Amino acid sequence: MTELVDRQPVARFGGHERADGGHSTAPPPPNPRRWWALLLLLVGPFLSLFDQFCVNLAAPSVNQSFRMTPFEFQAVVGGYGLVYGLGLITGGRLGDLFGRRRMYRAGIAVFALTTLACALAWSPGSLIAARLAQGAAAALLQPQVLALIRTQFPPAEQPRALSWFAVSMSLGMVLGQILGGALPAWDVFGLGWRPVFLVAVPLCLAVFLLLPATLDADRPALAGKGADVTGAVLCAVSVALVLLPLAAVRQWPFLPTGLALCAAGCVLAAVFVRDQRARVRRGRPALLPVDLFSVPVFVHGVLLNFLLYMASVPFAVVLALYLQDEAGLSSAQAGLTFTPAAVAIAVGSRLAVPLRTRLGERVLVLAAALIALGLAAAPAAAALDSDGASMAVLLTGMAVYGLGNGMIVPLLTGAVMSRVPPKDAGAGAGVLATTQQLAAALGIAVVGIVLYPASDARPLQYTPAMVSEVVIAALAVVLAGRLVAVLRRHGTG
C-alpha cells in the first residue's frame, strides 16, 4: 500500500529479500494464477470466523439436543475461540518454517474433518472435543493467508487482494450470525443445527483439491532454522492464562483468582518476550519476530485493530441476545438483522482504496468513525418506543457499521503487514490474529460485567452493555487519528 506505509527499511515483495537475509537483483515474476489462488485462500478466513460466530445463535438449538451443563455449554461456545487464539502465532510460524501452502492445505484438511466431527457429534463431550480440534485447525490455516498475500502479490496489487481478504473475514463473522440463526430454524432435512457445520465440508474439500493447480508450493522462508518449542509453550500458556479467566468470568469467582491468573499470564508473556529477544541476539530460531514491536506503524496498527475487535465482536453477541430476549425475534430473524452489515462490508471494501487515494491516511479515521456511529445506532434504537422506527434505526446503523468495517480492514491490515519482512509474514499475521482473539475475549468479559446485574432479580442490562462497546469504538477513532499522525511523521510511500 503506497500511502499507508512509512519509509523505514523493510523487506519487500518476493525476490527482493531471500530467506537468508540477502538480496536478489529482481523479484521473480508473479504467479499468473494468483487471483484464482486468492479465491481459494479466502475460504480459510471466511470459515474460521463463520464457525466461530455461527455457534452464538445455533447454541440454543444444540443445547436442546444435548441438555448441556453450564460448563459444557460454555466449552462448546467458547472452546473454539480459546484454542484458536492460543495457536495463531505458532500456526503462522509453522508456515514460515515448512511452507505456507503446505500448512494451509493441512489446516483446511483438518478443519474439514473436525467440522464433520462437529456435525456428527453424539454427545456434549464429542462436540467439545471436535470444537477444540477445529479451533486448532483454524489457527493453522488462518495466518497463512495474509502471509501468502504478502509474498505472492506485487505491492501494487496487495491493496486489492487485502480488500477481498476484508470481505472474507467480515462476511464470515456476519454470515455466521445470519446462518447460525437461520439454519437451525429451517431444520434442513430434519437435521436441526447440524447443517451449521456441514456447509463448510464441501468448501474445504474443493479448496484442498484445487489449490495445487493455482498456487505452486512455496519454499519455506525459514527452512532449516528449527522450531522454537520453548517459545511455543510459553506463548500458548501465557495466552491461556489471560483468556481462560476472561472467557469464564461469569462461571467462577473472578476476584481474586481471575485477576491472579491474568497477572500470571502477563508476567509469563514478559518472560516469553525476553526469551524471544535473547534467541534473536544469539541467532537461534525464535517464534516471534520481536523487532516488529519497535516499528511505530506496526504497534499502532495492532493496537487499533485490538480496539476495533474489542468493540465489534462482543457487540454482535450482545445484539443477538437483545434481539431474541428483549425484542422478541426468533433466532432466524435476529440473524437476518445483520444482513445490511454484510452487504455494506462488501461495498466498503471496494471503496477503501479509491477513498484512500482521495483522502490519504485520514480515511482510517473516517472508517473508524463510521463503525462507532453504526454501533451507536443499537442503543439508540433500543430507546425508541416504536418498533418500526426502532428497527429502521438499527438496520441503518448496521449498514453504517458494515461500511466502516469494510473500509478499515484492508487498509489497516495492509499498513500492519507492510511492516513485516516476507520471511516473518506468517508470524506477523499470527500476531495480528492473536490480538484480535484477545480483544474479543476481553471485550466479552467487559460487556459481561456490565450486562449481568449484581442481583439475579434484575433484568439484563442490554443498553448499558451496548453503550460500553460504543465507548470502546470511540476510543478506536482517537487511536486512528494517532495512527494517521504516526504515518505522516514517518513518511509514506
Side-chain angles (χ1 to χ4, degrees), residues 42-93:
L42 294 184
V43 172
F46 172 81
L47 289 179
S48 66
L49 284 183
F50 177 87
D51 273 63
Q52 183 172 10
F53 282 88
C54 68
V55 176
N56 291 336
L57 276 84
S61 298
V62 178
N63 194 34
Q64 289 177 3
S65 296
F66 292 138
R67 300 186 182 277
M68 295 179 287
T69 66
F71 173 79
E72 291 170 338
F73 185 84
Q74 178 68 21
V76 169
V77 174
Y80 173 99
L82 176 63
V83 177
Y84 180 46
L86 293 180
L88 282 163
I89 294 178
T90 300
R93 207 48 157 178

Side-chain angles (χ1 to χ4, degrees), residues 277 280 288-295 298-299 419 424:
R277 291 190 184 279
V280 171
L288 182 67
V290 290
D291 290 345
L292 288 175
F293 293 96
S294 63
V295 180
F298 183 86
V299 173
R419 310 314 306 144
D424 294 323

Side-chain angles (χ1 to χ4, degrees), residues 464-476:
M466 289 188 285
V467 169
S468 69
E469 298 307 308
V470 175
V471 171
I472 296 172
L475 293 176

Side-chain angles (χ1 to χ4, degrees), residues 171-324:
L171 290 185
M173 182 173 70
V174 174
L175 290 180
Q177 297 274 8
I178 294 173
L179 294 181
L183 287 174
W186 294 339
D187 194 20
V188 181
F189 300 121
L191 294 175
W193 52 269
R194 297 178 191 273
V196 166
F197 296 105
L198 288 173
V199 293
V201 177
L203 283 174
C204 291
L205 181 61
V207 170
F208 183 83
L209 294 176
L210 295 176
L211 190 62
T214 62
L215 184 65
D216 294 333
D218 54 309
R219 183 170 68 89
L222 300 177
K225 296 292 185 180
D228 179 11
V229 178
T230 302
V233 172
L234 284 173
C235 178
V237 175
S238 62
V239 173
L241 288 174
V242 174
L243 283 179
L244 275 172
L246 293 177
V249 66
R250 298 298 303 177
Q251 275 67 49
W252 53 295
F254 189 71
L255 297 172
T257 310
L259 286 180
L261 286 177
C262 282
C266 292
V267 171
L268 198 59
V271 173
F272 165 67
V273 171
R274 174 172 290 188
D275 172 74
Q276 296 298 289
R277 291 190 184 279
R279 284 178 172 273
V280 171
R281 285 196 304 269
R282 297 168 187 164
R284 299 175 61 190
L287 181 71
L288 182 67
V290 290
D291 290 345
L292 288 175
F293 293 96
S294 63
V295 180
V297 171
F298 183 86
V299 173
H300 283 79
V302 167
L303 288 176
L304 177 55
N305 192 67
F306 183 92
L307 282 181
L308 290 171
Y309 269 76
M310 188 177 173
S312 297
V313 174
F315 188 90
V317 175
V318 173
L319 182 58
L321 290 172
Y322 168 80
L323 291 173
Q324 295 175 80

